[in-house]
PDB file of all heavy atoms in Angstrom:
ATOM      1  N   PHE A1772       5.783   2.589 -65.733  1.00 97.00           N
ATOM      2  CA  PHE A1772       6.152   3.670 -64.829  1.00 97.00           C
ATOM      3  C   PHE A1772       6.930   4.764 -65.546  1.00 97.00           C
ATOM      4  O   PHE A1772       6.661   5.952 -65.401  1.00 97.00           O
ATOM      5  CB  PHE A1772       6.944   3.075 -63.665  1.00 97.00           C
ATOM      6  CG  PHE A1772       7.741   4.061 -62.910  1.00 97.00           C
ATOM      7  CD1 PHE A1772       7.122   4.925 -62.030  1.00 97.00           C
ATOM      8  CD2 PHE A1772       9.113   4.162 -63.080  1.00 97.00           C
ATOM      9  CE1 PHE A1772       7.850   5.863 -61.337  1.00 97.00           C
ATOM     10  CE2 PHE A1772       9.847   5.095 -62.389  1.00 97.00           C
ATOM     11  CZ  PHE A1772       9.215   5.952 -61.517  1.00 97.00           C
ATOM     12  N   ASN A1773       7.927   4.363 -66.342  1.00 96.00           N
ATOM     13  CA  ASN A1773       8.714   5.365 -67.050  1.00 96.00           C
ATOM     14  C   ASN A1773       7.896   6.102 -68.094  1.00 96.00           C
ATOM     15  O   ASN A1773       8.047   7.310 -68.286  1.00 96.00           O
ATOM     16  CB  ASN A1773       9.933   4.713 -67.704  1.00 96.00           C
ATOM     17  CG  ASN A1773      11.056   4.522 -66.712  1.00 96.00           C
ATOM     18  OD1 ASN A1773      11.693   5.478 -66.286  1.00 96.00           O
ATOM     19  ND2 ASN A1773      11.283   3.289 -66.319  1.00 96.00           N
ATOM     20  N   LEU A1774       6.989   5.372 -68.755  1.00 96.00           N
ATOM     21  CA  LEU A1774       6.146   6.012 -69.755  1.00 96.00           C
ATOM     22  C   LEU A1774       5.236   7.048 -69.112  1.00 96.00           C
ATOM     23  O   LEU A1774       4.948   8.096 -69.682  1.00 96.00           O
ATOM     24  CB  LEU A1774       5.315   4.934 -70.468  1.00 96.00           C
ATOM     25  CG  LEU A1774       4.544   5.352 -71.703  1.00 96.00           C
ATOM     26  CD1 LEU A1774       5.489   5.939 -72.743  1.00 96.00           C
ATOM     27  CD2 LEU A1774       3.793   4.152 -72.286  1.00 96.00           C
ATOM     28  N   THR A1775       4.780   6.733 -67.881  1.00 96.00           N
ATOM     29  CA  THR A1775       3.902   7.677 -67.193  1.00 96.00           C
ATOM     30  C   THR A1775       4.668   8.897 -66.716  1.00 96.00           C
ATOM     31  O   THR A1775       4.230  10.030 -66.915  1.00 96.00           O
ATOM     32  CB  THR A1775       3.248   6.999 -65.977  1.00 96.00           C
ATOM     33  OG1 THR A1775       2.614   5.804 -66.381  1.00 96.00           O
ATOM     34  CG2 THR A1775       2.242   7.919 -65.322  1.00 96.00           C
ATOM     35  N   PHE A1776       5.774   8.694 -66.048  1.00 97.00           N
ATOM     36  CA  PHE A1776       6.364   9.795 -65.293  1.00 97.00           C
ATOM     37  C   PHE A1776       7.516  10.510 -65.969  1.00 97.00           C
ATOM     38  O   PHE A1776       7.813  11.643 -65.615  1.00 97.00           O
ATOM     39  CB  PHE A1776       6.755   9.310 -63.892  1.00 97.00           C
ATOM     40  CG  PHE A1776       5.561   8.896 -63.077  1.00 97.00           C
ATOM     41  CD1 PHE A1776       5.307   7.565 -62.824  1.00 97.00           C
ATOM     42  CD2 PHE A1776       4.672   9.853 -62.627  1.00 97.00           C
ATOM     43  CE1 PHE A1776       4.184   7.186 -62.112  1.00 97.00           C
ATOM     44  CE2 PHE A1776       3.544   9.481 -61.916  1.00 97.00           C
ATOM     45  CZ  PHE A1776       3.294   8.145 -61.657  1.00 97.00           C
ATOM     46  N   PHE A1777       8.191   9.877 -66.927  1.00 96.00           N
ATOM     47  CA  PHE A1777       9.289  10.619 -67.521  1.00 96.00           C
ATOM     48  C   PHE A1777       8.822  11.848 -68.295  1.00 96.00           C
ATOM     49  O   PHE A1777       9.392  12.938 -68.152  1.00 96.00           O
ATOM     50  CB  PHE A1777      10.169   9.720 -68.392  1.00 96.00           C
ATOM     51  CG  PHE A1777      11.534  10.293 -68.561  1.00 96.00           C
ATOM     52  CD1 PHE A1777      12.500  10.110 -67.592  1.00 96.00           C
ATOM     53  CD2 PHE A1777      11.845  11.069 -69.666  1.00 96.00           C
ATOM     54  CE1 PHE A1777      13.755  10.673 -67.716  1.00 96.00           C
ATOM     55  CE2 PHE A1777      13.101  11.629 -69.806  1.00 96.00           C
ATOM     56  CZ  PHE A1777      14.056  11.436 -68.831  1.00 96.00           C
ATOM     57  N   PRO A1778       7.753  11.729 -69.120  1.00 95.00           N
ATOM     58  CA  PRO A1778       7.273  12.926 -69.828  1.00 95.00           C
ATOM     59  C   PRO A1778       6.891  14.063 -68.890  1.00 95.00           C
ATOM     60  O   PRO A1778       6.884  15.224 -69.299  1.00 95.00           O
ATOM     61  CB  PRO A1778       6.046  12.422 -70.592  1.00 95.00           C
ATOM     62  CG  PRO A1778       6.231  10.964 -70.709  1.00 95.00           C
ATOM     63  CD  PRO A1778       6.968  10.534 -69.501  1.00 95.00           C
ATOM     64  N   MET A1779       6.600  13.758 -67.627  1.00 96.00           N
ATOM     65  CA  MET A1779       6.173  14.829 -66.724  1.00 96.00           C
ATOM     66  C   MET A1779       7.298  15.806 -66.421  1.00 96.00           C
ATOM     67  O   MET A1779       7.045  16.947 -66.022  1.00 96.00           O
ATOM     68  CB  MET A1779       5.622  14.234 -65.431  1.00 96.00           C
ATOM     69  CG  MET A1779       4.312  13.515 -65.638  1.00 96.00           C
ATOM     70  SD  MET A1779       3.626  12.961 -64.073  1.00 96.00           S
ATOM     71  CE  MET A1779       2.181  12.095 -64.645  1.00 96.00           C
ATOM     72  N   HIS A1780       8.536  15.375 -66.609  1.00 95.00           N
ATOM     73  CA  HIS A1780       9.636  16.320 -66.404  1.00 95.00           C
ATOM     74  C   HIS A1780       9.496  17.502 -67.348  1.00 95.00           C
ATOM     75  O   HIS A1780       9.598  18.656 -66.957  1.00 95.00           O
ATOM     76  CB  HIS A1780      10.995  15.649 -66.642  1.00 95.00           C
ATOM     77  CG  HIS A1780      11.389  14.675 -65.587  1.00 95.00           C
ATOM     78  ND1 HIS A1780      11.402  13.324 -65.777  1.00 95.00           N
ATOM     79  CD2 HIS A1780      11.809  14.866 -64.312  1.00 95.00           C
ATOM     80  CE1 HIS A1780      11.808  12.720 -64.675  1.00 95.00           C
ATOM     81  NE2 HIS A1780      12.056  13.623 -63.769  1.00 95.00           N
ATOM     82  N   TRP A1781       9.258  17.173 -68.643  1.00 91.00           N
ATOM     83  CA  TRP A1781       9.200  18.335 -69.519  1.00 91.00           C
ATOM     84  C   TRP A1781       7.830  18.976 -69.569  1.00 91.00           C
ATOM     85  O   TRP A1781       7.721  20.140 -69.906  1.00 91.00           O
ATOM     86  CB  TRP A1781       9.770  18.046 -70.901  1.00 91.00           C
ATOM     87  CG  TRP A1781       8.926  17.269 -71.804  1.00 91.00           C
ATOM     88  CD1 TRP A1781       7.819  17.692 -72.481  1.00 91.00           C
ATOM     89  CD2 TRP A1781       9.126  15.926 -72.176  1.00 91.00           C
ATOM     90  NE1 TRP A1781       7.334  16.687 -73.240  1.00 91.00           N
ATOM     91  CE2 TRP A1781       8.111  15.598 -73.080  1.00 91.00           C
ATOM     92  CE3 TRP A1781      10.078  14.959 -71.842  1.00 91.00           C
ATOM     93  CZ2 TRP A1781       8.002  14.337 -73.642  1.00 91.00           C
ATOM     94  CZ3 TRP A1781       9.977  13.718 -72.407  1.00 91.00           C
ATOM     95  CH2 TRP A1781       8.937  13.406 -73.289  1.00 91.00           C
ATOM     96  N   LEU A1782       6.777  18.249 -69.164  1.00 95.00           N
ATOM     97  CA  LEU A1782       5.489  18.933 -69.015  1.00 95.00           C
ATOM     98  C   LEU A1782       5.626  20.072 -68.013  1.00 95.00           C
ATOM     99  O   LEU A1782       5.103  21.165 -68.204  1.00 95.00           O
ATOM    100  CB  LEU A1782       4.402  17.967 -68.542  1.00 95.00           C
ATOM    101  CG  LEU A1782       3.709  17.128 -69.598  1.00 95.00           C
ATOM    102  CD1 LEU A1782       2.723  16.174 -68.938  1.00 95.00           C
ATOM    103  CD2 LEU A1782       2.978  18.012 -70.594  1.00 95.00           C
ATOM    104  N   GLY A1783       6.345  19.793 -66.941  1.00 95.00           N
ATOM    105  CA  GLY A1783       6.557  20.811 -65.922  1.00 95.00           C
ATOM    106  C   GLY A1783       7.361  21.974 -66.452  1.00 95.00           C
ATOM    107  O   GLY A1783       6.987  23.135 -66.276  1.00 95.00           O
ATOM    108  N   MET A1784       8.458  21.671 -67.122  1.00 94.00           N
ATOM    109  CA  MET A1784       9.281  22.750 -67.653  1.00 94.00           C
ATOM    110  C   MET A1784       8.557  23.482 -68.774  1.00 94.00           C
ATOM    111  O   MET A1784       8.883  24.618 -69.101  1.00 94.00           O
ATOM    112  CB  MET A1784      10.617  22.201 -68.170  1.00 94.00           C
ATOM    113  CG  MET A1784      11.527  21.694 -67.070  1.00 94.00           C
ATOM    114  SD  MET A1784      11.771  22.883 -65.733  1.00 94.00           S
ATOM    115  CE  MET A1784      12.908  24.021 -66.479  1.00 94.00           C
ATOM    116  N   ASP A1785       7.553  22.833 -69.347  1.00 94.00           N
ATOM    117  CA  ASP A1785       6.789  23.475 -70.413  1.00 94.00           C
ATOM    118  C   ASP A1785       5.630  24.286 -69.858  1.00 94.00           C
ATOM    119  O   ASP A1785       4.824  24.815 -70.615  1.00 94.00           O
ATOM    120  CB  ASP A1785       6.276  22.401 -71.378  1.00 94.00           C
ATOM    121  CG  ASP A1785       6.107  22.939 -72.790  1.00 94.00           C
ATOM    122  OD1 ASP A1785       6.840  23.870 -73.151  1.00 94.00           O
ATOM    123  OD2 ASP A1785       5.247  22.443 -73.522  1.00 94.00           O
ATOM    124  N   GLY A1786       5.516  24.353 -68.539  1.00 94.00           N
ATOM    125  CA  GLY A1786       4.553  25.255 -67.932  1.00 94.00           C
ATOM    126  C   GLY A1786       3.295  24.628 -67.390  1.00 94.00           C
ATOM    127  O   GLY A1786       2.376  25.342 -67.007  1.00 94.00           O
ATOM    128  N   MET A1787       3.216  23.280 -67.313  1.00 95.00           N
ATOM    129  CA  MET A1787       1.971  22.680 -66.823  1.00 95.00           C
ATOM    130  C   MET A1787       1.984  22.628 -65.300  1.00 95.00           C
ATOM    131  O   MET A1787       2.822  21.940 -64.714  1.00 95.00           O
ATOM    132  CB  MET A1787       1.796  21.274 -67.384  1.00 95.00           C
ATOM    133  CG  MET A1787       0.470  20.646 -66.972  1.00 95.00           C
ATOM    134  SD  MET A1787       0.122  19.134 -67.894  1.00 95.00           S
ATOM    135  CE  MET A1787      -1.429  18.656 -67.119  1.00 95.00           C
ATOM    136  N   PRO A1788       1.059  23.330 -64.649  1.00 96.00           N
ATOM    137  CA  PRO A1788       1.038  23.298 -63.193  1.00 96.00           C
ATOM    138  C   PRO A1788       0.400  22.009 -62.668  1.00 96.00           C
ATOM    139  O   PRO A1788      -0.220  21.255 -63.414  1.00 96.00           O
ATOM    140  CB  PRO A1788       0.190  24.521 -62.810  1.00 96.00           C
ATOM    141  CG  PRO A1788      -0.433  25.022 -64.046  1.00 96.00           C
ATOM    142  CD  PRO A1788       0.018  24.204 -65.201  1.00 96.00           C
ATOM    143  N   ARG A1789       0.541  21.807 -61.372  1.00 96.00           N
ATOM    144  CA  ARG A1789      -0.052  20.640 -60.709  1.00 96.00           C
ATOM    145  C   ARG A1789      -1.490  20.901 -60.324  1.00 96.00           C
ATOM    146  O   ARG A1789      -1.928  22.041 -60.236  1.00 96.00           O
ATOM    147  CB  ARG A1789       0.681  20.385 -59.387  1.00 96.00           C
ATOM    148  CG  ARG A1789       2.024  19.800 -59.478  1.00 96.00           C
ATOM    149  CD  ARG A1789       2.642  19.720 -58.106  1.00 96.00           C
ATOM    150  NE  ARG A1789       2.125  18.578 -57.361  1.00 96.00           N
ATOM    151  CZ  ARG A1789       2.599  18.197 -56.190  1.00 96.00           C
ATOM    152  NH1 ARG A1789       3.581  18.868 -55.650  1.00 96.00           N
ATOM    153  NH2 ARG A1789       2.101  17.166 -55.574  1.00 96.00           N
ATOM    154  N   ARG A1790      -2.160  19.786 -60.010  1.00 96.00           N
ATOM    155  CA  ARG A1790      -3.479  19.864 -59.374  1.00 96.00           C
ATOM    156  C   ARG A1790      -4.483  20.598 -60.245  1.00 96.00           C
ATOM    157  O   ARG A1790      -5.384  21.264 -59.735  1.00 96.00           O
ATOM    158  CB  ARG A1790      -3.371  20.515 -57.984  1.00 96.00           C
ATOM    159  CG  ARG A1790      -2.428  19.705 -57.106  1.00 96.00           C
ATOM    160  CD  ARG A1790      -1.949  20.428 -55.889  1.00 96.00           C
ATOM    161  NE  ARG A1790      -0.983  19.598 -55.191  1.00 96.00           N
ATOM    162  CZ  ARG A1790       0.061  20.074 -54.519  1.00 96.00           C
ATOM    163  NH1 ARG A1790       0.268  21.366 -54.461  1.00 96.00           N
ATOM    164  NH2 ARG A1790       0.885  19.250 -53.918  1.00 96.00           N
ATOM    165  N   VAL A1791      -4.315  20.476 -61.536  1.00 95.00           N
ATOM    166  CA  VAL A1791      -5.281  21.057 -62.466  1.00 95.00           C
ATOM    167  C   VAL A1791      -6.096  19.920 -63.060  1.00 95.00           C
ATOM    168  O   VAL A1791      -5.535  18.907 -63.463  1.00 95.00           O
ATOM    169  CB  VAL A1791      -4.588  21.856 -63.588  1.00 95.00           C
ATOM    170  CG1 VAL A1791      -3.990  23.130 -63.028  1.00 95.00           C
ATOM    171  CG2 VAL A1791      -3.542  21.058 -64.303  1.00 95.00           C
ATOM    172  N   TYR A1792      -7.415  20.125 -63.123  1.00 95.00           N
ATOM    173  CA  TYR A1792      -8.247  19.040 -63.608  1.00 95.00           C
ATOM    174  C   TYR A1792      -8.281  18.989 -65.128  1.00 95.00           C
ATOM    175  O   TYR A1792      -8.695  17.991 -65.701  1.00 95.00           O
ATOM    176  CB  TYR A1792      -9.656  19.116 -63.027  1.00 95.00           C
ATOM    177  CG  TYR A1792     -10.559  20.117 -63.698  1.00 95.00           C
ATOM    178  CD1 TYR A1792     -11.486  19.723 -64.651  1.00 95.00           C
ATOM    179  CD2 TYR A1792     -10.494  21.469 -63.365  1.00 95.00           C
ATOM    180  CE1 TYR A1792     -12.328  20.641 -65.265  1.00 95.00           C
ATOM    181  CE2 TYR A1792     -11.326  22.390 -63.977  1.00 95.00           C
ATOM    182  CZ  TYR A1792     -12.231  21.971 -64.919  1.00 95.00           C
ATOM    183  OH  TYR A1792     -13.053  22.889 -65.520  1.00 95.00           O
ATOM    184  N   THR A1793      -7.841  20.082 -65.745  1.00 95.00           N
ATOM    185  CA  THR A1793      -7.745  20.059 -67.198  1.00 95.00           C
ATOM    186  C   THR A1793      -6.723  21.103 -67.638  1.00 95.00           C
ATOM    187  O   THR A1793      -6.198  21.850 -66.817  1.00 95.00           O
ATOM    188  CB  THR A1793      -9.118  20.319 -67.855  1.00 95.00           C
ATOM    189  OG1 THR A1793      -9.015  20.038 -69.238  1.00 95.00           O
ATOM    190  CG2 THR A1793      -9.549  21.762 -67.653  1.00 95.00           C
ATOM    191  N   TYR A1794      -6.473  21.151 -68.939  1.00 94.00           N
ATOM    192  CA  TYR A1794      -5.482  22.087 -69.462  1.00 94.00           C
ATOM    193  C   TYR A1794      -5.901  22.468 -70.870  1.00 94.00           C
ATOM    194  O   TYR A1794      -6.626  21.724 -71.527  1.00 94.00           O
ATOM    195  CB  TYR A1794      -4.076  21.465 -69.442  1.00 94.00           C
ATOM    196  CG  TYR A1794      -4.010  20.114 -70.110  1.00 94.00           C
ATOM    197  CD1 TYR A1794      -3.698  19.994 -71.463  1.00 94.00           C
ATOM    198  CD2 TYR A1794      -4.281  18.952 -69.391  1.00 94.00           C
ATOM    199  CE1 TYR A1794      -3.664  18.766 -72.075  1.00 94.00           C
ATOM    200  CE2 TYR A1794      -4.244  17.721 -70.000  1.00 94.00           C
ATOM    201  CZ  TYR A1794      -3.939  17.633 -71.337  1.00 94.00           C
ATOM    202  OH  TYR A1794      -3.908  16.401 -71.941  1.00 94.00           O
ATOM    203  N   PRO A1795      -5.425  23.654 -71.339  1.00 93.00           N
ATOM    204  CA  PRO A1795      -5.897  24.132 -72.639  1.00 93.00           C
ATOM    205  C   PRO A1795      -5.340  23.305 -73.800  1.00 93.00           C
ATOM    206  O   PRO A1795      -4.295  22.669 -73.691  1.00 93.00           O
ATOM    207  CB  PRO A1795      -5.356  25.568 -72.705  1.00 93.00           C
ATOM    208  CG  PRO A1795      -4.833  25.877 -71.372  1.00 93.00           C
ATOM    209  CD  PRO A1795      -4.539  24.586 -70.677  1.00 93.00           C
ATOM    210  N   ALA A1796      -6.072  23.359 -74.904  1.00 91.00           N
ATOM    211  CA  ALA A1796      -5.696  22.559 -76.064  1.00 91.00           C
ATOM    212  C   ALA A1796      -4.532  23.160 -76.835  1.00 91.00           C
ATOM    213  O   ALA A1796      -3.869  22.468 -77.601  1.00 91.00           O
ATOM    214  CB  ALA A1796      -6.898  22.408 -76.994  1.00 91.00           C
ATOM    215  N   ASP A1797      -4.255  24.446 -76.613  1.00 88.00           N
ATOM    216  CA  ASP A1797      -3.249  25.103 -77.453  1.00 88.00           C
ATOM    217  C   ASP A1797      -1.847  25.008 -76.876  1.00 88.00           C
ATOM    218  O   ASP A1797      -0.945  25.711 -77.312  1.00 88.00           O
ATOM    219  CB  ASP A1797      -3.630  26.586 -77.628  1.00 88.00           C
ATOM    220  CG  ASP A1797      -3.673  27.325 -76.281  1.00 88.00           C
ATOM    221  OD1 ASP A1797      -3.503  26.680 -75.224  1.00 88.00           O
ATOM    222  OD2 ASP A1797      -3.887  28.558 -76.296  1.00 88.00           O
TER     223      ASP A1797
END
Side-chain angles (χ1 to χ4, degrees):
Chain A
F1772 162 76
N1773 279 289
L1774 190 57
T1775 307
F1776 296 107
F1777 202 82
M1779 291 185 183
H1780 289 108
W1781 76 75
L1782 276 177
M1784 291 309 284
D1785 209 29
M1787 184 169 178
R1789 286 175 79 173
R1790 301 164 184 147
V1791 289
Y1792 79 99
T1793 191
Y1794 52 92
D1797 61 355

